[in-house]
Amino acid sequence: MKKLSVNEARQADAIGSSVKIQGWVRTRRDSKAGFSFIELNDGSSQGNIQIVAPGELANYESDVKRLTAGCSISAVGEIKESGGRGQTTEMLADSIEVHGWADPETYPLQKKRHSMEKLREWAHLRPRTNTFGAVARTRNCICNSIHQFFQEQAFLYINTPIITASDCEGAGEMFQVTTMNLDGIAKQQIEKLNYRFDFFDKPSYLTVSGQLEAETYACSLGKVYTFGPTFRAENSNTSRHLAEFWMVEPEMAFFELTDDMDLAEAFLKRIFADALSQCGEDMQFFNDRIDESHTLIERLEGIVETDFVRLPYTEAVDVLVKSKKKFDFPVQWGIDLQSEHERFLTEEHFKKPVILYDYPKTIKPFYMYCNDDDKTVRAMDVLVPGVGEIIGGSQREHRLDVLASRMKDQDLDIEEYWWYADLRRYGTVPHAGFGLGLERAVQFVTSMANIRDVIPFPRTPGNAEF
Ligand code: ATP
Ligand code: MN
């Protein structure tokens, strides 16, 4: 017996074929005429297929009439043209086999709508809802177009380490990795840990970025990208931060800042265009049911067509100051822009994606290329309405002397980054790259308000269940 997914069985070309379909019951409705309608979903699409279960089925009374939300079944029968509204096909079942019951007294996903917060407590079952099925399919589509975009342009996909001894940002927001018996150490009240007894003979951490390692490959192989998990122990309980998230980091030799911005813009447009063209039904769902103003599709279509604004940081500060708007954090040249400032620029002032560049060197990491003014570095952030920063990138400092002095300014020991410095010693080249947070991209494409709802199992302060 040929198996079809629910999505395949919903298409007109399935009409007339005898097939098996399998999935989870959404609802069952009994007709007075002595048969039942079952709405079945298997995750292959937003829409369900309707199964007509005739009263003549041998297990009609014993099984079919006991089916409730969440039960898993196989149904064999013929796909027919459907007279019902909003569906092309339905199945007339010859047999229905129940694999697993779902006690309606305790199964959490009953017809009633649950809040996103409540659904997080059932992260193992929430993919059975329309919303989380749609998010999972759209996230998959985005991952696929990320790879396609880079592969079509001959980037090499490389894997950078998850455990590292270098802190890319020079900040202390890292999860330490150790095999030392911390309880034992605490008991002995050892004040200074001796890392000679630890696995790597030195402190090591979960990576916050694969950039430094990606730079080494870019400086041998030209164009590379990494796409992997990233960890930040920042204690920020926002709707835009996770402790574990996925980051795409392209790194390109012989690229300067403008090339970097061009690539980032083309990359985002490609992701949005693919989601629109490949996730039609799910995008319609996000537009109608998730997006507050029901304009998601129109907005994304607009963004794919328009040029992003490109603005130096210094001019952005002017715009913010001249706006006369009251911000919680007052604006002056040299401050790190807060999300309220970024959102004003992209949501209220320009009303489209904005690429800010040439930031003050004092607020950016050591590896960014220092401009001739000696005040700014060639950094760029892509800001989008609703989400804020979606991409952060820069041209990298490829001059050894400048790099060394920047590291000194930031109290970093160049000896510890000897291999990073070597790239500037032997055949140094201008190069650039950026990082896109996958979950921020999924948030933007789906309009989902909280980043915890666009990753299957969110990790945030105090939350590592499942
Ligand atoms: P933010 O200012 O929003 O905290 P950042 O400047 O620390 O971000 P970068 O170091 O530039 O972030 O990282 C590159 C990208 O990774 C960001 O543009 C964002 O899309 C994503 N990102 C950074 N931190 C997080 C996080 N905690 N959770 C999810 N995505 C993140
Ligand atoms: Mn950033």
Side-chain angles (χ1 to χ4, degrees):
M1 177 62 54
K2 192 175 171 207
K3 281 191 194 183
L4 288 189
S5 70
V6 166
N7 191 36
E8 289 165 332
R10 289 171 64 219
Q11 311 304 321
D13 61 6
I15 293 172
S17 52
S18 280
V19 298
K20 180 188 266 191
I21 52 182
Q22 302 174 297
W24 292 268
V25 173
R26 285 289 175 84
T27 59
R28 189 201 81 234
R29 204 157 46 80
D30 301 326
S31 153
K32 289 202 190 75
F35 58 94
S36 300
F37 296 107
I38 299 161
E39 289 286 325
L40 196 73
N41 192 284
D42 67 351
S44 57
S45 63
Q46 178 69 227
N48 308 321
I49 190 161
Q50 174 169 287
I51 299 172
V52 182
E56 292 76 44
L57 292 179
N59 59 348
Y60 184 74
E61 290 295 331
S62 58
D63 288 347
V64 174
K65 286 198 78 176
R66 287 172 54 215
L67 287 174
T68 52
C71 294
S72 51
I73 62 167
S74 290
V76 172
E78 193 183 330
I79 304 296
K80 308 247 185 214
E81 193 174 337
S82 171
R85 235 163 48 93
Q87 56 192 27
T88 312
T89 70
E90 62 186 26
M91 171 185 268
L92 177 59
D94 296 328
S95 74
I96 287 180
E97 180 192 350
V98 181
H99 298 283
W101 299 99
D103 180 357
E105 297 299 317
T106 55
Y107 185 62
L109 305 176
Q110 302 297 338
K111 262 238 131 185
K112 157 178 184 308
R113 271 181 86 104
H114 296 289
S115 69
M116 296 291 170
E117 288 76 15
K118 196 76 205 154
L119 286 170
R120 266 172 233 149
E121 295 173 20
W122 303 311
H124 59 309
L125 292 172
R126 67 178 184 170
R128 290 193 191 171
T129 63
N130 287 335
T131 304
F132 288 88
V135 168
R137 286 184 295 270
T138 307
R139 186 179 164 113
N140 171 68
C141 169
I142 291 173
C143 293
N144 189 33
S145 48
I146 287 168
H147 282 294
Q148 280 185 354
F149 176 84
F150 289 121
Q151 293 294 330
E152 284 165 13
Q153 298 187 46
F155 280 65
L156 296 183
Y157 173 43
I158 61 162
N159 304 110
T160 49
I162 287 170
I163 300 177
T164 175
S166 59
D167 174 353
C168 180
E169 303 281 326
E173 293 165 344
M174 305 184 83
F175 289 100
Q176 190 163 356
V177 176
T178 181
T179 54
M180 289 197 279
N181 179 344
L182 299 180
D183 286 339
I185 289 167
K187 274 196 200 101
Q188 292 168 29
Q189 293 190 313
I190 295 176
E191 271 170 15
K192 197 159 178 354
L193 288 182
N194 188 342
Y195 283 101
R196 296 275 304 279
F197 299 118
D198 204 353
F199 195 90
F200 298 107
D201 295 346
K202 59 178 168 184
S204 53
Y205 308 90
L206 294 179
T207 183
V208 296
S209 162
Q211 179 201 316
L212 303 191
E213 289 92 349
E215 280 186 55
T216 70
Y217 266 62
C219 291
S220 296
L221 301 170
K223 294 192 288 186
V224 302
Y225 69 107
T226 75
F227 186 2
T230 308
F231 308 86
R232 297 198 184 170
E234 50 198 350
N235 203 357
S236 40
N237 260 308
T238 76
S239 59
R240 315 265 181 270
H241 290 90
L242 291 164
E244 177 180 299
F245 63 100
W246 287 67
M247 187 144 66
V248 187
E249 295 179 277
E251 189 70 39
M252 296 73 63
F254 308 106
F255 261 52
E256 300 196 7
L257 189 67
T258 315
D259 309 312
D260 204 32
M261 294 196 269
D262 291 345
L263 186 79
E265 181 168 340
F267 174 55
L268 287 175
K269 286 178 174 170
R270 167 66 182 270
I271 291 175
F272 304 158
D274 282 355
L276 286 168
S277 68
Q278 295 168 21
C279 306
E281 222 180 21
D282 289 325
M283 290 305 298
Q284 198 64 53
F285 172 84
F286 294 126
N287 187 83
D288 300 346
R289 306 291 292 276
I290 302 291
D291 190 59
E292 273 180 11
S293 57
H294 310 305
T295 54
L296 172 67
I297 291 179
E298 194 186 306
R299 286 193 328 261
L300 285 178
E301 283 170 349
I303 285 172
V304 171
E305 297 300 320
T306 49
D307 289 340
F308 293 5
V309 174
R310 296 188 187 189
L311 193 73
Y313 166 94
T314 303
E315 287 178 31
V317 167
D318 275 352
V319 170
L320 290 165
V321 169
K322 289 207 182 103
S323 77
K324 297 270 187 295
K325 200 175 154 83
K326 275 255 168 284
F327 294 110
D328 293 338
F329 294 86
V331 183
Q332 63 176 59
W333 199 94
I335 65 154
D336 205 355
L337 297 183
Q338 301 293 321
S339 108
E340 56 172 341
H341 309 131
E342 298 177 342
R343 297 186 70 156
F344 173 81
L345 291 170
T346 172
E347 286 165 25
E348 292 180 48
H349 191 79
F350 293 109
K351 296 192 166 65
K352 54 173 160 166
V354 178
I355 309 183
L356 294 185
Y357 63 95
D358 285 350
Y359 281 77
K361 70 172 184 180
T362 46
I363 57 170
K364 290 291 181 187
F366 68 92
Y367 52 71
M368 296 186 177
Y369 184 97
C370 203
N371 280 313
D372 290 342
D373 63 11
D374 201 31
K375 289 207 303 251
T376 59
V377 289
R378 290 192 186 163
M380 63 108 180
D381 277 1
V382 183
L383 316 176
V384 293
V387 169
E389 180 186 330
I390 192 168
I391 281 180
S394 66
Q395 182 177 333
R396 319 306 188 189
E397 185 54 75
H398 69 286
R399 299 161 297 184
L400 183 60
D401 53 336
V402 185
L403 183 76
S405 93
R406 287 271 288 148
M407 292 187 80
K408 208 157 161 254
D409 290 348
Q410 302 195 2
D411 283 329
L412 293 168
D413 182 3
I414 197 163
E415 297 296 312
E416 286 191 16
Y417 293 81
W418 61 274
W419 50 273
Y420 190 73
D422 265 3
L423 300 178
R424 281 78 183 161
R425 263 182 210 111
Y426 310 117
T428 193
V429 289
H431 61 287
F434 61 80
L436 166 79
L438 174 66
E439 288 75 18
R440 299 236 179 127
V442 180
Q443 259 191 297
F444 187 65
V445 168
T446 60
S447 269
M448 292 291 286
N450 197 307
I451 198 165
R452 297 163 198 218
D453 300 325
V454 297
I455 186 166
F457 298 100
R459 298 290 178 250
T460 52
N463 294 309
E465 184 73 12
F466 307 102

